[in-house]
Amino acid sequence: MPIRVMLVDDQELLRTGFRMILQSQGDIEIAAEAGDGAQALEVLKGTEVDVILMDVRMPRLDGVQATRRICLDAEGSPLPGAPHVLILTTFDLDEYAFAALKAGASGFLLKDVPPTELVAAIRAVHGGDAVVAPTTTRRMIDRFAEVLPTPATAGGPPVLAPLTEREREVFLLVAQGLSNGEIAARLTLSEATVKTHVGRILAKLGLRDRVQAVVLAYENGLVRAGEPL
């Protein structure tokens, strides 16, 4: 089955450009388009979509608010079966990134991303991974996660109670933005073992992806704000 993508942007020219790029891929189809967040919500009522490319600044309903309504329920918990949202914007600003990720987005990329990276990002979020622009990730981690407890000193707040000691170690490293390979090297584990741990962590904590793990760590005091390095 092809990945069904929805384009949400108030600039028709940009939607046309994205459509041309994605339609050339054999495993991706454009299922729908919308000019703003409000229209996107209406279209989704009658259209099956796997991944949404969502602009941030749009009239009527912006991308952050639309993402929140698509991905989260009234209590702020992830909605099962909701499409994965990949935020695309010309503004590489921390506040947009964090707001979008907190709203449930699975990724955050700039609109000038190369076509190959855009396609790879769509495939990644469809597969359950998270994608964030490297520059945004670095600054966000530096700003919001400058200081994390080390596995040796972390007592483990109540939110981490369901996790084993090893899973807490992995969680803290995920929260620092480390990849599976980097975590494997740090803890002397195989990458496959780390991937298994990450999957169990997300399931136990009710998280949709690694990005939500970073948000959870920040909001529960495992990270604290600091100046960029």
Side-chain angles (χ1 to χ4, degrees), residues 137-203:
T137 301
R138 176 62 184 171
R139 291 201 331 275
M140 191 170 71
I141 294 300
D142 286 346
R143 179 175 176 182
F144 296 121
E146 185 183 27
V147 178
L148 285 130
T150 64
T153 60
V159 70
L160 299 186
L163 305 184
T164 65
E165 182 177 352
R166 174 62 83 185
E167 288 169 348
R168 293 183 187 188
E169 291 178 330
V170 173
F171 174 85
L172 292 175
L173 296 177
V174 168
Q176 293 180 65
L178 273 66
S179 67
N180 286 352
E182 292 168 333
I183 295 173
R186 183 78 62 90
L187 299 180
T188 318
L189 299 171
S190 71
E191 201 164 334
T193 298
V194 172
K195 184 176 181 179
T196 298
H197 281 312
V198 172
R200 289 174 178 169
I201 290 167
L202 298 180

Side-chain angles (χ1 to χ4, degrees), residues 59-76:
R60 294 205 297 168
L61 189 67
D62 66 36
V64 174
Q65 293 298 323
T67 297
R68 182 173 291 109
R69 297 190 189 184
I70 291 168
C71 297
L72 306 178
D73 62 20
E75 286 71 42

Side-chain angles (χ1 to χ4, degrees), residues 7-229:
L7 305 176
V8 184
D9 196 302
D10 60 331
Q11 298 185 49
E12 185 175 355
L13 183 60
L14 286 175
R15 295 203 310 271
T16 300
F18 291 142
R19 187 190 317 120
M20 292 176 63
I21 293 171
L22 299 179
Q23 285 181 334
S24 67
Q25 305 299 312
D27 61 338
I28 296 176
E29 69 175 28
I30 304 302
E33 296 186 30
D36 57 52
Q39 184 181 10
L41 294 177
E42 287 299 317
V43 172
L44 283 173
K45 292 179 181 179
T47 307
E48 293 291 332
V49 173
D50 300 310
V51 177
I52 301 173
L53 298 188
M54 181 81 74
D55 188 20
V56 171
R57 288 187 172 182
M58 295 182 292
R60 294 205 297 168
L61 189 67
D62 66 36
V64 174
Q65 293 298 323
T67 297
R68 182 173 291 109
R69 297 190 189 184
I70 291 168
C71 297
L72 306 178
D73 62 20
E75 286 71 42
S77 299
L79 285 171
H84 297 280
V85 175
L86 184 58
I87 295 289
L88 284 167
T89 181
T90 54
F91 304 96
D92 188 13
L93 301 176
D94 296 329
E95 56 265 34
Y96 287 125
F98 194 71
L101 300 178
K102 185 176 178 181
S106 296
F108 185 99
L109 293 174
L110 301 184
K111 288 182 178 178
D112 62 359
V113 62
T116 54
E117 293 184 21
L118 174 61
V119 172
I122 291 173
R123 291 170 179 155
V125 297
H126 180 253
D129 291 331
V131 177
V132 185
T135 56
T136 304
T137 301
R138 176 62 184 171
R139 291 201 331 275
M140 191 170 71
I141 294 300
D142 286 346
R143 179 175 176 182
F144 296 121
E146 185 183 27
V147 178
L148 285 130
T150 64
T153 60
V159 70
L160 299 186
L163 305 184
T164 65
E165 182 177 352
R166 174 62 83 185
E167 288 169 348
R168 293 183 187 188
E169 291 178 330
V170 173
F171 174 85
L172 292 175
L173 296 177
V174 168
Q176 293 180 65
L178 273 66
S179 67
N180 286 352
E182 292 168 333
I183 295 173
R186 183 78 62 90
L187 299 180
T188 318
L189 299 171
S190 71
E191 201 164 334
T193 298
V194 172
K195 184 176 181 179
T196 298
H197 281 312
V198 172
R200 289 174 178 169
I201 290 167
L202 298 180
K204 288 183 178 181
L205 299 182
L207 303 175
R208 187 167 183 174
D209 52 43
R210 301 167 75 98
V211 169
Q212 295 301 303
V214 175
V215 174
L216 180 71
Y218 172 66
E219 293 184 327
N220 284 273
L222 289 173
V223 299
R224 65 177 176 82
E227 295 299 321
L229 297 177

